[in-house]
Amino acid sequence: MTTTEFATLRHSIEQLRRSVADVRGAFGDAPEVRRLVNDLERLEIDAGELAAAHPARGVPDLVPEHVVVPDTPLDESMFSDADDEGLGGYHGDRS
């Protein structure tokens, strides 16, 4: 975001602050109004943190690696000493 975009964001937050103050004047300290005040505070915190952050420019979006899982049966010897979860740890012959 540019300095102009941050200035616009700050201006918008200030307008929202005035609107929330008007709503508070009309509805008092209702739970819905308290949530709006809390949301406004959170928005101000997030905007401040965003202004202090350094954007990662020129970094391409990372695409997750495509992993192919074969349909072929697995080697049974891989599970020779494993417990069957949910069956109480059966340790007998699996044949």
Side-chain angles (χ1 to χ4, degrees):
M1 293 178 76
T2 65
T3 305
T4 304
E5 291 169 325
F6 275 116
T8 302
L9 178 61
R10 292 281 183 203
H11 179 72
S12 298
I13 291 173
E14 188 54 40
Q15 285 180 320
L16 184 58
R17 175 182 294 292
R18 288 190 293 273
S19 297
V20 169
D22 291 343
V23 169
R24 186 178 225 168
F27 292 93
D29 197 32
E32 296 86 353
V33 175
R34 288 195 307 266
R35 283 195 302 269
L36 285 173
V37 170
N38 186 36
D39 291 345
L40 178 61
E41 290 173 0
R42 182 73 245 177
L43 183 61
E44 290 175 321
I45 291 168
D46 290 343
E49 289 176 357
L50 186 60
H54 298 288
R57 298 194 185 273
V59 176
D61 292 334
L62 297 177
V63 178
E65 179 184 351
H66 183 75
V67 178
V68 177
V69 179
D71 291 347
T72 56
L74 297 173
D75 181 10
E76 290 293 326
S77 66
M78 290 175 29
F79 306 104
S80 63
D81 62 344
D83 288 341
D84 289 325
E85 289 187 29
L87 299 178
Y90 178 75
H91 293 285
D93 185 23
R94 293 183 185 262
S95 46

